[in-house]
Amino acid sequence: MNRKLDVVTFGEAMALFVATQPGPLERADTFVKRTAGAETNVAIGLSRLGLRVGWASRIGDDSIGRYALATMRGEGIDCDKVSSVAGQHSGFMLKGRVDDGSDPPIEYHRKGSAASQMDVDDVDAVWLRSARHLHATGVFAALSPSTLRAAHASIELMRAGGGTVSFDPNLRPSLWESTSAMRDQVNALARRAHWVMPGLEEGRLLTGQHSPEAIARHYRECGVELVVIKLGASGAYCHGPSGTSYVPGVRVDTVIDTVGAGDGFAVGMISALLEGQDPANAARRGAWIGALAVQTIGDTEGMPTRLQLQTWEDSFVAASDFQRVK
């Protein structure tokens, strides 16, 4: 089937205001404006690698919405299914500046946003099926009961159309009414995906299992094709039809900001798997892009271009050949 797009995603784009100096947010006087959003971070990363990416959302008819839309279009992303709604507002978030690798302080201001009011009617089946892959996350599903419905609909439509689905739980407990509701709903979505990519602590919370092997086995027994457990600096654990493997992390001398690392990992996994690479190689790419992400203060500044990726992969192959010769 000839498809117009490689990957589509649904989600909220927010303006991200990052403090320019370390310290509590209430003491910050100046901020740098960026975009943020789990799904849009992945869309930007995939587009920079040369994939044809589409993003569906709602934005308010305000400066933040116009800024987000212009940024996404500037990254070469298909925004035909983004609606600007008069009288509604776009979300934004404040993030503190950290330079020591600790988690930065974050405040979200997104309640009642335009994107949180998306519903099944915002899922265009023809547009969705013009792509070969859907990337979904637990964030969009958590925004409201209507976005949860839309999340389920998008996954079912993509599966019915013969495409593949990746799912990153990306847990946001504050957006759910309870931990049990979050666990039930996120797992329901994960079970319908082909590739599931939880972090280790997320997997423990969602499955009640402790080890990467047990967490992955839980989802495999639910019918998931490939499960990749993100292990932070230690790399990742993959469990798929061809077996299991541990992939080491990429060494980073200085961690600046950990936000966006998981989205970078997803970019590497999805892009490599869509190229037909095996899960271990895909996880290596994901670990490398995640390592780039933690060395920048923004969510997408570390996302590489295709040329940067090719340079890294060539050097990785050369180093591997050298080790084999030794």
Side-chain angles (χ1 to χ4, degrees):
M1 181 177 179
N2 185 26
R3 298 185 188 260
K4 174 186 174 184
L5 297 169
D6 294 306
V7 182
V8 293
T9 191
F10 293 75
E12 180 174 32
M14 297 179 289
L16 166 65
F17 297 95
V18 186
T20 58
Q21 297 294 327
L25 275 171
E26 61 269 23
R27 296 182 185 173
D29 294 320
T30 58
F31 295 80
V32 176
K33 185 168 68 171
R34 299 286 188 269
T35 59
E39 300 85 5
T40 53
N41 291 344
V42 173
I44 288 171
L46 292 171
S47 184
R48 287 186 188 170
L49 294 182
L51 280 78
R52 301 165 299 170
V53 183
W55 167 58
S57 189
R58 284 189 190 181
I59 56 174
D61 183 20
D62 51 25
S63 62
I64 289 177
R66 290 189 290 273
Y67 167 72
L69 183 58
T71 299
M72 297 297 282
R73 284 176 171 163
E75 294 284 352
I77 293 167
D78 178 342
C79 298
D80 287 352
K81 297 304 172 183
V82 178
S83 302
S84 178
V85 184
Q88 295 184 3
H89 69 275
S90 305
F92 70 94
M93 60 185 287
L94 304 176
K95 184 166 80 170
R97 172 71 179 265
V98 293
D99 297 317
D100 59 1
S102 61
D103 292 335
I106 292 176
E107 288 184 0
Y108 291 98
H109 299 269
R110 68 196 313 179
K111 187 174 182 180
S113 67
S116 72
Q117 299 179 55
M118 293 177 71
D119 207 328
V120 174
D121 291 344
D122 293 287
V123 182
D124 186 309
V126 175
W127 178 82
L128 177 67
R129 290 175 176 174
S130 73
R132 56 193 179 121
H133 184 80
L134 167 70
H135 178 61
T137 85
V139 180
F140 178 62
L143 295 180
S144 68
S146 63
T147 61
L148 177 61
R149 292 192 295 268
H152 278 288
S154 65
I155 290 174
E156 295 308 318
L157 283 167
M158 181 56 81
R159 289 185 65 98
T164 51
V165 179
S166 56
F167 182 73
D168 185 341
N170 227 311
L171 298 182
R172 298 289 189 274
S174 63
L175 295 178
W176 295 95
E177 63 183 35
S178 67
T179 299
S180 61
M182 177 178 70
R183 184 184 296 114
D184 292 345
Q185 294 297 344
V186 169
N187 278 330
L189 293 164
R191 286 192 293 269
R192 297 300 292 157
H194 297 86
W195 313 330
V196 175
M197 301 174 283
L200 179 59
E201 292 305 319
E202 290 178 324
R204 287 170 173 167
L205 191 155
L206 290 169
T207 68
Q209 303 297 323
H210 181 76
S211 68
E213 295 88 349
I215 295 167
R217 187 164 54 248
H218 171 92
Y219 286 114
R220 288 279 288 148
E221 290 173 353
C222 291
V224 176
E225 180 182 305
L226 171 65
V227 184
V228 182
I229 311 298
K230 295 173 287 189
L231 304 175
S234 298
Y237 172 75
C238 306
H239 187 170
S242 58
T244 65
S245 61
Y246 271 96
V247 175
V250 174
R251 185 176 181 276
V252 173
D253 291 330
T254 303
V255 176
I256 294 177
D257 185 347
T258 57
V259 176
D263 298 330
F265 186 90
V267 168
M269 284 296 307
I270 295 166
S271 61
L273 290 172
L274 290 178
E275 291 170 13
Q277 297 198 35
D278 63 57
N281 280 334
R284 289 188 187 95
R285 182 185 291 185
W288 176 67
I289 297 178
L292 292 180
V294 303
Q295 298 177 73
T296 64
I297 63 169
D299 288 10
T300 59
E301 278 80 351
M303 299 292 186
T305 63
R306 173 59 66 170
L307 178 59
Q308 290 171 319
L309 172 63
Q310 189 61 58
T311 299
W312 174 77
E313 292 193 333
D314 288 346
S315 66
F316 179 82
V317 171
S320 299
D321 289 342
F322 176 73
Q323 291 297 327
R324 280 194 290 270
V325 169
K326 288 177 65 180

